[in-house]
Every structure is written in C-alpha cells, then in structure tokens.
Amino acid sequence: SHRMKERLAYHLNEQRQRIEYLKKHYGQFKVSEVTLDQIFNGIRGVTLLITDTSYVDPHQGIRIRDFTIPELLRVLPKAPDSAFPLAGGLYYLLMTGEVPDEAEAWEVEATWKERMTVPEHVFRVIDAMPRETHPMTLLSQAILALQTESIFAKRYEEGISKPAFWGYYLEDSLNLTAKLPVLAAYIYNRKYRHGAYIPPHPDLDWSANFAYMIERSDDPIFVELMRLYFVLHSDHEGGNVTAYSANVVSSSLADIYFTASAGINGLAGPLHGLANQECTRWLLKVLHHFGGLPSEEQLEDYVREQLDKGMTIPGYGHAVLRTVDPRFTALANLAETYFPQDQLYRLVKRVYAVVPRVLSSLGKVKNPWPNVDAISGALLYHFGLRQLDFYTVLFGISRMLGVTAQTVWSRGLYKPLERPKSITSQMLEAMIAQA
Ligand code: AMX
C-alpha cells in the first residue's frame, strides 16, 4: 500500500511542523493540573496524552479521525455486497486521517493478502500450550512469537536514525495486522474445533476472511457482523488500558510485536476488554435464573439484589463516556434488522430498559448507560459463537488496528521515551505538610 505510506509521510511531516511550532511558542502552556484525588483515582480526567487517531467524546462517543460511528459507517468504502466498510479502508483512515476511495481501501486489503502467511513456529507456540489456556493468552503469545519477523528490530540493530523509524514500524504493522485474522481463526479452530487449520481465502476481504477461516462465511449476516464489529472496536483514543500500555512499551522503541502483545495483555483484564465475556455470561445467567426472559419488574429486583451484594452490572458504565455508547447502538441496529426476536437480544433490550434507571438511582455511577460490551457478545452468541472466552480475541484483533496506527504516529512524531515521575506516600505527606 504505497499510497497509504505516501499520504502518511505527508501528514507526519506536516504534523511534526505543527508540533514544533506549538512547542516553540506555547511550551509553557498549562494543559492540566493534577490533584491528589486524581492521582489516587487512576489519573482519571487528567489530560496528559495527545492521540490523533481518535477521541472519545463523553457525549457523542468515539470519533475516529473526527468521524462519529454513524458518519464512519457512511463515509468508508464498503465491502462487496455489504452495508459495512472494508477494514482496509478503516486502516487507511486511521493511519492517514484521510477517507480513502475504494481503490485506496483495496490497496490496503491487497497488501494484507500478500502478508497473511504465518510462520510455522508461531502455530507451534500455540500448539504447545494446554488446551484450557485462555485464548487471550494464546493471542498475546502468538503475537510475541511473531517478533522474530520484526523488520524494525533488525534495522535498529544495524543502526538507523529517528526519521527512518516509522517506516519500519509501518511495515511491521502491516505484516502483523495482516496475520491477525489468521491467528484468531487458528486459536479458535485449535481450541474449540480440534485443530482444523483453514488457510485464508485469496478473494475475501480481511473481515470476511476471519469468518471464512472459522467456516462461518456461508452466513452473510455473520460476515456483516464481523465487518461491523471490527470497525467498532478498532480504536478508543490513547488513554484506555490497551492503548496506554502499548504506547508506553513502544516509547522504549520496543517493536510493534512487543507493543501489540502488551496492549493485548491489558485488554485481557475484566474491567476492560474481558468485560464482554463477563457481560454475556451475566446475560445467560439471568436467562437461566428466570428460565427465560424476565419481566422488567423481575429484572429490576434482580439487579437491585446484585447491587446490594456489591456486584457491578457488566456492560454498564464507562470511565469517559457519559451517554449510550454509539457502538452499542450500531450493533443493536444490526440485531433489530436481522433477528429482533432472538431471546438473548431481547434480554439485552430489556436490561437496557431497566439498568440505567437503577444505576442512576444509586447516585454515584457517573455513567449509567450501556457500553459496547453490553451487547457485542449476545450478537456473537446468536450466530453460534458460544465460546465466551474467545470474544475478547475479536475485540483484540480489531483494536490492534488502532494501536498500530497510534504507534506508527508516535514514532513518526518522534515521541520520546515515556517516563512519568513517581514519589513515595511519605514524600507526598511531607509535601502537604510544607504547603
Ligand atoms: N454496576 C455497578 N456499579 C457501578 C457500575 C456498574 N456497571 N459502574 C460504576 N459503578 C460504581 C463504581 O463501582 C463506583 O462505586 P464505588 O464508588 O463504590 O467504588 C461508582 O459507581 C463510581 O464509578 P464511576 O466513576 O462511574 O466508574 P469508573 O470510571 O470508576 O469505572 C467501569 C468504569 C467501566 C470500570 C465501571 O463502570 C464498571 O465496572 N462497569 C462494569 C464493567 C464494564 O462494563 N466494563 C467495560 C468498560 C468498557 C471497556 O473497557 N470495554
């Protein structure tokens, strides 16, 4: 994808100049202040990162390169016979900030196709693990095993200078992202389908290929779901655990494989990416408890009981969002169009009718609205993807599109090693005493 690289080079150059200007003229401009509370509360609400690929607007949700989700679904070139975008076009947008035309989107898809072959040793690493290993462990290990292929690491050892870094990070990123659907499908097939390896289909786009490699491409609606899903989960600004971990790791000039693996490890936490697994488990538990769909009254009692026991309601709340996650809405639209009668989906809707009101009544939950995890698993479940612990792998391969784009930008903008200062609690007390 020469075009993408060319446009990226152009935009990086322009952006470097803008940053130079800002540093020169506004170097002392105060962006945020940090209170003791914020430090003890996960640095929440402290602006300390600049990320150009996307921004989580508290009231509009994620804006990828300034496009809201509905806008994004409208402007990106669509996959063949599909209502949803090509992942290649999304990657072009994430990388360059420009909406690609169809040819540019297909160029990324074609580049991916050339690079999909996974070295044998990566499969052997997955094979060596016990069958009960969590698929996120396997994904992280597989990505790390691919580190043998890093072009950046080799060139760096040979001796290259800063302006050359991003180009090799880009090559590595294209090589890695090309292989992610293959890795995900291999993990799925090995863990749940007794090892069948299905090589990618040369005619299919990135998203459809994943469906093909787990032998589900005969259902066009499932393929559509995959295309939508991979767009929706691709990026969520720079401060979420995945992106933040990845950014710090890559600031040490660890290559994209180390970087992506670090991001995946963060995504594997239950408060973050694993929430979709937890959420689906919870929905199934509710169905089981009531022997079917509960009424709104029954559901409300059940939710209040859970909260009284100190449990959280998975899929609701968000560290930044203060509205219904537009990714939730996009997935709900798909379900509403194709399978409104699905029992689990109907439960999702019922929970949506009840939980925001209940959470609001607690008076402490900053965002009572559903996030993407409140629905994504239910849709996968509808299509027979019933291995809940696999769900975050799909989230992960999508999110690596954003993470790798962010990383290429960080290296392209010559961002330095990231290293916040820490002090001891005793020193903090001394600072307060002296103030
Ligand atoms: N159910 C019950 N209580 C909740 C809640 C929920 N869904 N969401 C928030 N609260 C509670 C918190 O536990 C906290 O209580 P405390 O003061 O007694 O400890 C209080 O409300 C204030 O929390 P907050 O400032 O509103 O949220 P946060 O930024 O600290 O945490 C999140 C955000 C997502 C971890 C939290 O809402 C949560 O645990 N939700 C359920 C899990 C989930 O859906 N995670 C997915 C997030 C999206 C993603 O990363 N994929």
Side-chain angles (χ1 to χ4, degrees), residues 105-304:
W106 276 110
E107 207 190 4
V108 178
E109 291 278 346
T111 305
W112 275 337
K113 280 187 220 275
E114 289 161 13
R115 301 170 184 223
M116 279 185 166
T117 308
V118 173
E120 201 52 33
H121 75 270
V122 176
F123 293 135
R124 296 296 80 81
V125 167
I126 297 173
D127 294 345
M129 294 301 291
R131 181 134 297 168
E132 64 273 19
T133 308
H134 196 283
M136 285 298 278
T137 313
L138 299 177
L139 179 62
S140 180
Q141 287 176 312
I143 292 172
L144 206 51
L146 272 173
Q147 195 276 331
T148 52
E149 311 305 295
S150 174
I151 302 169
F152 172 78
K154 286 187 194 77
R155 295 289 173 274
Y156 188 81
E157 213 177 271
E158 288 162 17
I160 47 170
S161 61
K162 228 184 246 181
F165 292 176
W166 72 266
Y168 295 117
Y169 268 88
L170 176 64
E171 288 308 311
D172 279 350
S173 294
L174 284 163
N175 283 332
L176 169 61
T177 50
K179 295 173 182 61
L180 290 173
V182 183
L183 297 180
Y186 188 82
I187 291 166
Y188 186 83
N189 290 338
R190 171 154 198 292
K191 197 169 156 66
Y192 311 112
R193 302 180 66 228
H194 307 290
Y197 169 61
I198 298 151
H201 195 294
D203 296 339
L204 293 175
D205 58 278
W206 194 85
S207 310
N209 231 325
F210 169 74
Y212 171 79
M213 287 183 282
I214 61 164
E215 290 188 293
R216 285 177 184 277
S217 58
D218 49 352
D219 186 339
I221 309 305
F222 179 70
V223 178
E224 286 294 76
L225 173 63
M226 288 298 96
R227 290 186 177 124
L228 175 60
Y229 188 102
F230 291 142
V231 169
L232 296 181
H233 290 78
S234 62
D235 207 36
H236 222 230
E237 74 175 42
N240 67 78
V241 172
T242 308
Y244 191 43
S245 325
N247 287 334
V248 174
V249 168
S250 93
S251 84
S252 77
L253 298 186
D255 62 52
I256 205 71
Y257 300 96
F258 286 119
T259 299
S261 175
I264 291 293
N265 296 345
L267 192 67
L271 293 188
H272 186 32
L274 221 64
N276 61 43
Q277 163 182 335
E278 295 310 318
C279 189
T280 317
R281 208 186 304 286
W282 186 82
L283 292 171
L284 292 169
K285 201 173 83 184
V286 173
L287 277 188
H288 182 77
H289 180 86
F290 291 102
L293 202 62
S295 69
E296 287 196 16
E297 292 71 27
Q298 286 173 314
L299 193 57
E300 173 156 354
D301 291 343
Y302 184 85
V303 166
R304 287 198 188 276

Side-chain angles (χ1 to χ4, degrees), residues 41 44 270-273 275 307 311-320 322 327 359 362 364-367 371-373 395:
N41 195 28
R44 211 69 105 259
L271 293 188
H272 186 32
L307 291 169
M311 291 155 85
T312 55
I313 307 304
Y316 283 74
H318 200 274
V320 178
R322 294 295 175 259
R327 302 171 300 175
L359 286 180
L362 298 180
K364 65 172 183 180
V365 182
K366 294 198 189 65
N367 176 37
N371 60 60
V372 66
D373 298 325
F395 189 158

